[in-house]
Amino acid sequence: MDSPAGKVATAKITLNVFRQPHPFTVLVNQNVINATAGDSVVLSVRPSSPVSSGFWKFGTASIVAWTVEPPDLNIAYTKRNVELLFNTSLLLRSVALSDSGDYWVTMDSPAGKVATAKITLNVFRQPHPFTVLVNQNVINATAGDSVVLSVRPSSPVSSGFWKFGTASIVAWTVEPPDLNIAYTKRNVELLFNTSLLLRSVALSDSGDYWVTMDSPAGKVATAKITLNVFPKPDPFTIYAKCNEVNSTTGDTVLLSVAPSEEVKNGKWIFGGNVIAHWMGAFPEVNADYIGRAVVLTNASLQLKSVSASDTGEYSVTMSTASGNTRTAKLHLNVLNPFTIYAKCNEVNSTTGDTVLLSVVPSEEVKNGTWTFGGNVVAHWMGASPEVNPDYRGRAAVLTNASLQLKSVSVSDTGEYSVTMSTASGDTRTAKLYLNVFKPQPFTISMALSEINAEIGASVLMSVIVSGEVKNGSWAIGSRILFKWEGTIQNITDFTRYYKELLPNASLLLKSVQFYNRGRYKVTLESSSGVTATANVTLNVYSTHRMCTMYNTTLTLSVLLALICIFAFAILILKKHQTVGYETNDLLTVLCKGYRVCLSFVTVLAFNLILIFAIVIHKNVCAPGQRPVINFLAK
C-alpha cells in the first residue's frame, strides 16, 4: 500500500488449504434393486470406517440390530429369513411382493459418528415374457475372492453363452436330459441355474459380463453384470522392531511393536500372567507391575528396573475395531553384570588325583590371578599364563581360566581364589574350596552270608560297599546274571525276568524257586581299579504247610517200619509156627509160597517210603521245620 506521503508498506499472509476429511458414511453398491418373488437378495453396503453398532429397518420396523465387542459380534434378529453378513450387508431370502419398499441402515462409529443409507427393493411377480433376471447388476469383489454372477431366466432355455467384453467364456446347449457345456476360459463354472462362478478373481477380471439365452420358442434375452475387482487390502499385522531384546539387570527396556492399523483393545502377557490390558485409550496395569510397566501410545511395553526373573517370552495380542485379532511374541534376555561362576564351590578329591577347579566368566576377560594361602599359583595377562615355579608341572590354567592341579596331596587342602578383569575394567573374584582326603580301602561284604527262604518269597542279597563302584557283576556258579560298566545309577531300571539290580549293587530275587538255590558271587570294581568279591548262599525250602505234610508222611513211614520190625521180632521169638498139624521154622513161614513175594514187597515198600521221605524232608524243609529228622539224628 502507498500512503499519501509516498510511504510504501507490504505484508504477507500464508494460506494452507487441506483436503476435506472423509466423513463417516455408508457406501451403497446399488440404491435400487429389482428382484422377482422367491429370489434371495443382498442389500450390499460398506461403512467407510469401522463401526461399533448399527441396525437395519424396513420402513419403520426393525429387522436386525448389532453391536461390535471384539472379538465378538452380537446380533439380535426381529425378522425371519434374514441374515446379517460379515460386512454389515443384509441377506433377504425368498423375498415376497410384500418385501418391496425402502430399507434403511444406520451405523455408529467408535468416535460417535452416525451414518444412514437407504436401499429401495422392488419385488415383481414372475414375468411372463422371456427375460434374464439379474440379482445384482454391479458386483464389487476383492482379488482372490470367488464371485457368482447370479442370473435366472424367466422360462426354460435351449442354449446360451457368457461373454467377457467381446471374448466368449462359456457356451451351452440344452438337449434333454443332457446339458452340453463348452468352456473357453479357465477357473469358471456354469452353475445349474445358468449363473456363472468365477474362482479366485484378479484385477484383470474387472469389466462387463454379458449373458445371452435362447428360449425353445426362439426368444432371445440378454443381460449385463459389471464386476469390479479391487486389490486385496493388507492383513492386520503387528510388527516387532526387535524380536529378541538383550539387557542387563536394572535397565529400562522397551518392547517395541507397531500395529499395521489402529487397534481398539489389547493386552501384554508374560509367563501366563497379564501385565497390562487396555480397552480404548486407557491401559490398566497389573498390581504386581505398577510403577514398573507402562503401555505407550503405540501399544509398546516399557519395563523399568528389569531383573533376571524378567527373562522370558512376552506376547502382545491386539484387536481392531473390525474384530481382526493378531498376536506377536518377543523374547527378553536380562543378563547379569560381569560375574565368575564356579561350577562347584567345594571340590572333594583323594591324594594323587588330578583336580579341576572349574570357573566360567560371564564375558571375555583380559587378565586374572589364581591364589592359594596368600601365594600366587598362576597369573595371566592376555593369552599367556605364567605358573609359580613351586607349581610348575602340577598347575595349569586352561583356556576358560579354570585351574588344573595334578597329583594333589593333603597339603593342597584349602581355599583357592581367582580374580579376573575384563577389557572394560570390571573386576570380580570367586572362591573355591578343595578337600584332599587319603584314599580309603575298597571293600565289600554281604549283610548275610547265608539266606534261608521259603519258595515264592522275595530275597534281597544286600551288599555293603565301602567306596564308589565303577562296574561289577553278579553270578551264580559260572553263570553271569548281571554285568555292568559305569556308575550304578545308570542301570537302576535294569531288570531281567524275576531278578532286579538295585542302585547300591544289591540283588533282588522275586518269587524264588528251588532252582534258585546255590552260591551267589558279586564282584565290584572301584573307580581306582580295585576289585573285591563277596559270596552268599541261598537255600530255598518248601512252605510250612508242605513241610507239615512231609513231617506227617515221614512219621507214618517210621511207625509202619517199626510195626513191621515188631512183627518180625515176635516171629523170631517164637521160632516156630504151627499151621494145622505142620510145624515150620521162621524161614519157612516167611518164604513159603506167595508169602515170599508179600514179605519182599512189604519190606521194600517200607524202605523206599522211609528213604524217599527222609531225602525230600531234608532237602525241602528248613532245619527248624523237620523234627523227625532232628529226632532220628539225635
Side-chain angles (χ1 to χ4, degrees), residues 144-157:
D145 291 347
S146 292
V147 177
V148 176
L149 306 182
S150 181
V151 297
R152 184 166 61 87
S154 59
S155 62
V157 299

Side-chain angles (χ1 to χ4, degrees), residues 7 104 140 448 590:
K7 300 294 185 178
W104 295 87
N140 297 322
L448 296 173
L590 295 177

Side-chain angles (χ1 to χ4, degrees), residues 68 108 151 240 333 357 359 412-413 427 433 474 507 535 548 606:
V68 179
D108 300 328
V151 297
N333 296 315
L357 302 179
V359 293
D412 292 320
T413 297
T427 302
Y433 199 90
W474 270 97
L507 182 64
N535 297 287
T548 301
F606 286 160

